């Protein structure tokens, strides 16, 4: 059995974020890799993400108890007390932010702080439970890792970082709505106002299609702005359009909604993984357009 202290950090989420962090880091590095900086960025941000997840488990233990997929979490079963999970999260966050502050850049650290505050403070404590827009707010924290990776190298928030932030924010929306559809009963039982529960599955389907369509346009901005090349454009277009076609199949009269939503969810992971890997490899030497520098 997994150690409860490891379990409370949600290792799957940490691993998923590592791919996007590396993608942003390699994109900004443009072939000139500082491996010690990369290690510090990955370790620091992983600890920050782990901290947010541990504290989120403390906050959510009442609603987690009502959902099938979360009712066995260690903070629900009592295997790890809420107090221990909280202080473990505080320790992880303290170390993580220290690593980022000392070994990376102020801009990377700032975005890590923003992501943490949004996830723990705005999303977990209020928006998730009280607003249909909780997913929108949560998408910002989910989009932070590649920006942290990028800014650890660039030291500034430029057009490339802005595109990554928007791209990953948009990706989070259909990804999350798909989960909310095939986990509809869980969210309803816990009285969490995600879009399918609050506004209906039909509206969620429409939003999934619209967000994927906009996402497909935004991904093209990286090659169009000169940050990546033709290979990224090919991968971006093929994965995004396939994902969009898959989303549109949700309107078929004979569709199994839960099965369809799971397909959209699984392909969302494939899409963002493929894009993260491709942008790490198909970088271009450009002069970044500076937005903010610390």
């Amino acid at each position: 059995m997994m150690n409860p202290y490891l379990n409370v950090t949600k290792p799957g989420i940490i691993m998923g974020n590592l791919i996007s962090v590396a993608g942003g880091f390699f994109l900004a590095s443009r072939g000139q890799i500082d491996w010690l900086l990369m290690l510090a960025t990955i370790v620091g941000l992983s600890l920050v993400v782990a901290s947010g997840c541990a504290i989120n488990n403390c906050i959510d233990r009442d609603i987690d108890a009502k959902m099938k997929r979360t009712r066995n979490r260690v903070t629900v079963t009592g295997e790890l007390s809420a107090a221990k999970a909280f202080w473990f999260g505080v320790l992880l966050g303290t170390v993580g932010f220290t690593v980022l502050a000392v070994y990376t850049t102020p801009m990377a650290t700032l975005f890590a702080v923003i992501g943490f505050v949004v996830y723990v403070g705005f999303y977990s404590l209020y928006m998730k439970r009280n607003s249909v827009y909780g997913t929108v707010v949560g998408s910002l924290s989910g989009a932070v890792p590649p920006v942290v990776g990028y800014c650890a190298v660039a030291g500034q928030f430029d057009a490339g970082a802005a595109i990554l932030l928007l791209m990953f924010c948009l990706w989070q929306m259909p990804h999350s709505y798909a989960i909310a559809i095939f986990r509809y009963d869980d969210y309803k039982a816990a009285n969490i106002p995600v879009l399918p529960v609050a506004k209906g599955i039909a509206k969620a389907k429409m939003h999934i299609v619209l967000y994927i369509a906009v996402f497909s346009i935004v991904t093209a901005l990286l090659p169009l702005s000169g940050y990546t090349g033709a290979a990224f454009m090919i991968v971006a277009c093929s994965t995004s359009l396939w994902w969009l076609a898959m989303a549109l199949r949700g309107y078929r009269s004979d569709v199994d909604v839960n099965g369809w939503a799971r397909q959209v969810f699984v392909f969302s992971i494939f899409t963002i993984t493929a894009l993260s890997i491709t942008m790490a490899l198909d970088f271009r030497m450009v002069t970044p357009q500076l937005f903010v520098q610390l």
Side-chain angles (χ1 to χ4, degrees):
M1 179 178 289
M2 188 182 296
N3 183 288
Y5 283 98
L6 178 60
N7 189 296
V8 81
T9 63
K10 304 180 184 177
I13 291 179
I14 296 173
M15 293 303 297
N17 282 322
L18 290 183
I19 298 173
S20 62
V21 173
F25 188 95
F26 283 123
L27 177 65
S29 297
R30 299 180 182 88
Q32 304 298 316
I33 311 297
D34 183 336
W35 294 104
L36 288 177
L37 176 60
M38 182 177 178
L39 178 63
T41 304
I42 287 176
V43 170
L45 188 67
S46 293
L47 289 172
V48 169
V49 171
S51 171
C53 289
I55 296 174
N56 170 264
N57 272 351
C58 296
I59 297 169
D60 282 355
R61 62 190 186 279
D62 59 327
I63 55 178
D64 282 346
K66 301 175 183 177
M67 301 171 69
K68 289 182 180 180
R69 74 181 180 91
T70 57
R71 63 188 178 191
N72 291 320
R73 284 180 174 168
V74 292
T75 46
V76 176
T77 63
E79 189 177 355
L80 189 68
S81 70
K84 288 181 179 179
F86 174 79
W87 288 113
F88 182 55
V90 170
L91 174 63
L92 292 173
T94 301
V95 176
F97 283 121
T98 300
V99 170
L100 290 174
V102 172
Y103 295 104
T104 67
T105 66
M107 186 61 76
T109 306
L110 174 62
F111 269 95
V113 170
I114 291 172
F116 184 88
V117 170
V118 169
Y119 181 64
V120 174
F122 292 97
Y123 176 73
S124 298
L125 284 174
Y126 183 78
M127 296 297 292
K128 180 177 180 178
R129 298 166 181 260
N130 296 285
S131 175
V132 71
Y133 298 108
T135 307
V136 178
V137 173
S139 72
L140 177 60
S141 60
V144 158
V147 180
V148 171
Y150 186 97
C151 291
V153 177
Q156 60 190 30
F157 186 75
D158 57 30
I163 293 169
L164 287 179
L165 184 64
L166 182 57
M167 177 176 141
F168 278 76
C169 275
L170 290 167
W171 172 83
Q172 291 277 340
M173 299 304 294
H175 171 83
S176 300
Y177 287 153
I179 297 173
I181 289 174
F182 69 78
R183 296 290 188 185
Y184 180 93
D185 292 339
D186 268 357
Y187 284 105
K188 187 175 182 180
N191 197 31
I192 300 174
V194 288
L195 187 66
V197 174
K199 301 292 185 179
I201 290 178
K203 190 158 190 175
K205 284 183 180 180
M206 180 184 70
H207 279 239
I208 286 174
V209 169
L210 291 176
Y211 274 112
I212 293 176
V214 178
F215 169 79
S216 66
I217 296 171
V218 171
T219 57
L221 293 179
L222 279 179
L224 291 176
S225 300
Y227 286 91
T228 58
F232 181 89
M233 179 68 91
I234 292 170
V235 172
C237 289
S238 57
T239 54
S240 297
L241 293 177
W242 188 272
W243 194 21
L244 181 59
M246 184 180 292
L248 288 169
R249 286 202 292 272
Y251 284 100
R252 289 172 51 175
S253 59
D254 61 341
V255 70
D256 171 10
V257 174
N258 283 344
W260 164 80
R262 286 182 183 275
Q263 288 180 337
V264 171
F265 162 73
V266 170
F267 197 79
S268 73
I269 297 174
F270 172 80
T271 296
I272 208 65
T273 301
L275 292 177
S276 295
I277 293 173
T278 308
M279 71 184 181
L281 300 174
D282 189 34
F283 56 86
R284 287 292 182 270
M285 304 302 293
V286 297
T287 302
Q289 182 179 346
L290 177 62
F291 288 173
V292 180
Q293 183 172 7
L294 292 180

